[in-house]
Amino acid sequence: MGIIFALLSGTFIALQGIFNAKLGYAIGAWLSVTVVHLVGLVLALFIYAFKRDGDITAFRRVPWYYSLGGLFGVFVVFGELTAIQQLGVTWAICVLLVAQLIGAFLIDSNGWFGVAKKPVTGGQVIGLSLMVIGIGVYTFT
């Protein structure tokens, strides 16, 4: 089931980027970011009203800074829409995905943010290297 959610999320990331870039062209980047997050907030509140899967008291059990993930989301949306406007959809998504993988690799291999530290394998290094090379091939051919 996790693979299905990952595939859907990947598809939604590409669609979101296109929609955000088009909206950004029309109304401006930061207003677009604001609209995108307001629409997302309304949908999330609507779903939560029916799902009720959270425990508000759990905030006391996690470091306060874990609630700041939405701040990253603001810069993700701005960066994605700007990259797509300047680079095109495919190239922008390629670079974004490789940056995301490298970031995740560094977090996993160093055990940052409470994530279980995972050993680095040669296959992982080769895979990341091939992805970076792939972007180079895609870009310069």
Side-chain angles (χ1 to χ4, degrees), residues 75-133:
F75 293 107
V76 167
V77 170
F78 176 78
E80 182 182 44
L81 75 85
T82 303
I84 287 173
Q85 289 173 346
Q86 295 178 6
L87 303 174
V89 178
T90 305
W91 192 27
I93 295 296
C94 283
V95 174
L96 290 165
L97 289 175
V98 168
Q100 185 177 9
L101 279 171
I102 290 171
F105 174 77
L106 290 172
I107 291 167
D108 270 347
S109 62
N110 291 294
W112 294 338
F113 310 110
V115 173
K117 189 174 181 177
K118 295 186 174 84
V120 176
T121 67
Q124 291 170 332
V125 173
I126 291 169
L128 286 173
S129 300
L130 287 172
M131 291 185 79
V132 171
I133 291 168

Side-chain angles (χ1 to χ4, degrees), residues 6 20 40 42 45 47 57 59 62-63 66 69 73 76 90 107 114 125 132 135:
N20 292 347
V42 169
L45 287 172
I47 293 169
T57 63
F59 275 115
V62 295
Y66 285 154
V76 167
T90 305
I107 291 167
V125 173
V132 171
I135 287 177

Side-chain angles (χ1 to χ4, degrees), residues 3-73:
I3 291 175
I4 292 170
F5 280 111
L7 289 170
L8 287 172
S9 294
T11 302
F12 290 147
I13 287 169
L15 290 172
Q16 177 192 30
I18 294 165
F19 284 39
N20 292 347
K22 294 292 185 181
L23 187 62
Y25 274 131
I27 68 173
W30 285 108
L31 181 55
S32 174
V33 171
T34 303
V35 169
V36 164
H37 282 85
L38 283 174
V39 170
L41 173 64
V42 169
L43 177 61
L45 287 172
F46 178 78
I47 293 169
Y48 179 71
F50 293 99
K51 185 72 174 156
R52 300 276 182 189
D53 64 345
D55 175 12
I56 196 79
T57 63
F59 275 115
R60 288 186 235 134
R61 295 190 301 264
V62 295
W64 65 270
Y65 49 85
Y66 285 154
S67 64
L68 301 178
L71 296 178
F72 296 122

